[in-house]
Amino acid sequence: MRKQKIVLILILLLLSANVFAQSGWHSAFSETGNYTFNDIYFKDMQTGFAVENAGIVFKTTNGGINWTQIFQNSLYHFYLIKFFNDSVGCIFADEGKIFRTTNSGINWTEITTPVHDNKNAECFINQFTGYVVGTSDYVHKTTNAGLSWDSLRSRLFVLTPPNYNDVYFINENTGWICSALNYYYMSYTLYRNYIYKTTNGGVNWNYVYYSESEQQLFKIKFFDENTGISFIGNKIYKTTNSGTNWSVYSESSTFTFKRLYMLNNNTGWMTGMQGTNPVICKTTNSGLNWFLQCITSPSQGLLSLYILDEDNAWACGGNNTILKTTNGGGFISGVNLNSTNIPDKFSLSQNYPNPFNPSTKINYEIKNSGFVSLKVFDLLGKEVAALVNEKQNAGSYAVDFNSSEYNLPSGIYFYTLNAGEFKETKKMVLIK
């Protein structure tokens, strides 16, 4: 309820802006026009590319302050862009078209491909090997940095071509693809969701998972041979046996997830929806909890997100939308900066009220800017909530901890603040 109130206030205050509310995210595109950006990619903090739906490529060399149109082919829609190294990259367009550059976007050459399907997702393993999937039952593979592509016939579906939504490889041999086939049952549209796995670089694929749902299985991410996460609607799913079985890992009462982007095993971002508004949310504990970072207007839509490192990321979408963060995105709910006055010491206050049910407030002060974590543990020392896990400026902060969001039972809990050399733990009691 508190999150919904904060969102409503922010929307009313900033209704005239394209971006309703954002913590560490700000606009990074000021050129005139009416562009829909389908994908974005940055080689480093300064040099990046964005592909526009009408067949245009934009480039920036100053972190998004200015963008220059460097290529256009109005015959096609551009959907994906990816670079193998500093110079060599590919654009994936409709009708199976691929355009390749070897000089960082100055010139582009069309690459002939045998299958004219639209590409939905890519996964590049190294500077030579990459995979793309799309609207046919082929997995397209290159081993020479996109100069040529082999179309590996998966033969997963006999009658109806699938829509491959995602592909992910953990090395050159082991990877997964997910797809969704829609069908109609009475007045409902349902989806048959499939996951397939290969252990020989895509030559052969084995069925490992099937389910039916009212929503599509869009994205998958594996951390190792056995452990991976995915999502359908507002639920995050996790597997620990290479995709054969999946269980609900977490569930959001606020967001409907659309796309998943994981930087590492712990940190990742989601684009999704909160009501009619596209949002960006973040996890720092492998998808167990998600925190709201950015709310945009319905006209913007958020179509892609690129993560460079823990601090720097970009998102893009409709209505000239390119957003940027240089502090990991921050949070616009759950953590409030009470004062920017620099405290003369580190401190962690006792939560209030205590005992509490279901919510309590935790105040703390940090005298130096740096990485801060505030986590909650049970009596056995198991982490049950990560309330803060980001870089913060010096100041006084307040965190609202709602135990109902984590389905915690009554009992004694401990919360620990880590800020550089400072570490302190205090006890709190939840009584239901």
Side-chain angles (χ1 to χ4, degrees), residues 113-407:
T113 56
V115 180
H116 297 164
D117 59 339
N118 296 342
K119 307 301 189 294
N120 294 328
E122 47 75 20
C123 182
F124 286 15
I125 308 302
N126 51 47
Q127 61 177 334
F128 300 107
T129 305
Y131 298 83
V132 290
V133 294
T135 55
S136 72
D137 57 346
Y138 286 91
V139 178
H140 308 281
K141 178 181 181 179
T142 181
T143 56
N144 55 12
L147 181 61
S148 62
W149 294 82
D150 296 321
S151 297
L152 308 176
R153 188 70 183 268
S154 56
R155 293 288 184 183
L156 305 183
F157 296 84
V158 178
L159 297 177
T160 306
N163 183 38
Y164 289 154
N165 289 325
D166 202 14
V167 54
Y168 191 80
F169 276 73
I170 59 172
N171 53 50
E172 291 190 21
N173 294 315
T174 305
W176 295 261
I177 51 178
C178 68
S179 66
L181 286 172
N182 66 301
Y183 69 99
Y184 300 98
Y185 178 75
M186 300 179 68
S187 59
Y188 298 96
T189 299
L190 298 177
Y191 293 90
R192 296 185 175 98
N193 296 305
Y194 298 84
I195 296 178
Y196 291 83
K197 179 183 177 181
T198 181
T199 55
N200 58 6
V203 177
N204 302 109
W205 294 87
N206 297 312
Y207 157 87
V208 293
Y209 178 77
Y210 168 80
S211 70
E212 294 189 9
S213 172
E214 293 183 3
Q215 294 166 310
Q216 296 187 56
L217 179 64
F218 272 110
K219 289 286 184 178
I220 49 176
K221 165 72 176 184
F222 276 81
F223 305 123
D224 52 45
E225 176 74 26
N226 295 309
T227 308
I229 64 172
S230 183
F231 68 92
I232 297 178
N234 67 333
K235 294 181 175 64
I236 304 294
Y237 290 83
K238 184 176 182 179
T239 180
T240 56
N241 59 3
S242 200
T244 302
N245 301 107
W246 296 78
S247 59
V248 176
Y249 185 51
S250 64
E251 182 175 356
S252 174
S253 59
T254 307
F255 312 123
T256 299
F257 301 119
K258 295 295 183 182
R259 291 172 176 85
L260 167 68
Y261 307 86
M262 296 298 296
L263 175 65
N264 51 46
N265 288 10
N266 296 312
T267 304
W269 284 261
M270 280 274 198
T271 58
M273 300 295 293
Q274 185 177 56
T276 60
N277 294 105
V279 299
I280 299 173
C281 48
K282 181 180 181 180
T283 182
T284 55
N285 55 9
S286 301
L288 183 61
N289 305 114
W290 294 88
F291 299 94
L292 180 64
Q293 288 194 325
C294 177
I295 306 171
T296 68
S297 68
S299 65
Q300 290 180 282
L302 292 171
L303 302 175
S304 185
L305 189 150
Y306 183 79
I307 308 165
L308 184 65
D309 53 39
E310 290 273 359
D311 296 322
N312 298 281
W314 289 261
C316 65
N319 196 20
N320 292 352
T321 299
I322 295 180
L323 304 177
K324 175 183 180 180
T325 180
T326 56
N327 68 350
F331 300 108
I332 63 172
S333 61
V335 182
N336 296 316
L337 177 63
N338 286 342
S339 173
T340 57
N341 295 328
I342 299 177
D344 59 0
K345 64 179 180 179
F346 291 94
S347 67
L348 177 64
S349 301
Q350 184 64 52
N351 65 299
Y352 181 83
N354 188 41
F356 67 97
N357 177 34
S359 297
T360 188
K361 185 182 292 293
I362 301 171
N363 292 282
Y364 63 92
E365 295 181 332
I366 53 175
K367 68 175 185 178
N368 297 323
S369 299
F371 193 86
V372 176
S373 72
L374 179 63
K375 298 182 179 181
V376 181
F377 303 85
D378 62 18
L379 270 175
L380 299 177
K382 178 183 177 182
E383 180 183 322
V384 296
L387 304 181
V388 180
N389 204 44
E390 62 173 340
K391 287 184 178 179
Q392 290 185 329
N393 295 324
S396 301
Y397 292 82
V399 180
D400 288 328
F401 173 52
N402 188 344
S403 63
S404 62
E405 295 183 4
Y406 303 90
N407 298 317

Side-chain angles (χ1 to χ4, degrees), residues 31-56:
E31 314 303 322
T32 58
N34 184 17
Y35 301 111
T36 296
F37 296 105
N38 286 325
D39 199 17
I40 193 166
Y41 176 86
F42 270 75
K43 298 194 297 180
D44 51 48
M45 290 183 61
Q46 300 300 320
T47 306
F49 302 83
V51 290
E52 203 275 331
N53 189 61
I56 304 173

Side-chain angles (χ1 to χ4, degrees), residues 20-154:
F20 287 158
Q22 51 193 24
S23 177
W25 292 88
H26 59 272
S27 177
F29 187 84
S30 59
E31 314 303 322
T32 58
N34 184 17
Y35 301 111
T36 296
F37 296 105
N38 286 325
D39 199 17
I40 193 166
Y41 176 86
F42 270 75
K43 298 194 297 180
D44 51 48
M45 290 183 61
Q46 300 300 320
T47 306
F49 302 83
V51 290
E52 203 275 331
N53 189 61
I56 304 173
V57 181
F58 285 88
K59 181 178 180 179
T60 180
T61 56
N62 55 11
I65 298 175
N66 303 108
W67 293 84
T68 302
Q69 180 179 320
I70 61 171
F71 178 61
Q72 181 173 12
N73 188 321
S74 57
L75 296 177
Y76 304 104
H77 301 290
F78 288 172
Y79 295 131
L80 301 171
I81 185 168
K82 179 72 175 183
F83 274 74
F84 289 92
N85 53 47
D86 285 343
S87 301
V88 181
C90 288
I91 299 168
F92 301 95
D94 54 353
E95 299 184 25
K97 300 297 181 181
I98 300 176
F99 297 88
R100 182 174 185 262
T101 182
T102 58
N103 53 15
S104 195
I106 297 175
N107 303 108
W108 295 85
T109 302
E110 184 176 335
I111 302 299
T112 302
T113 56
V115 180
H116 297 164
D117 59 339
N118 296 342
K119 307 301 189 294
N120 294 328
E122 47 75 20
C123 182
F124 286 15
I125 308 302
N126 51 47
Q127 61 177 334
F128 300 107
T129 305
Y131 298 83
V132 290
V133 294
T135 55
S136 72
D137 57 346
Y138 286 91
V139 178
H140 308 281
K141 178 181 181 179
T142 181
T143 56
N144 55 12
L147 181 61
S148 62
W149 294 82
D150 296 321
S151 297
L152 308 176
R153 188 70 183 268
S154 56

Side-chain angles (χ1 to χ4, degrees), residues 404-423:
S404 62
E405 295 183 4
Y406 303 90
N407 298 317
L408 298 180
S410 298
I412 297 174
Y413 294 88
F414 300 90
Y415 58 98
T416 298
L417 178 69
N418 274 287
E421 297 180 355
F422 177 82
K423 181 178 181 180

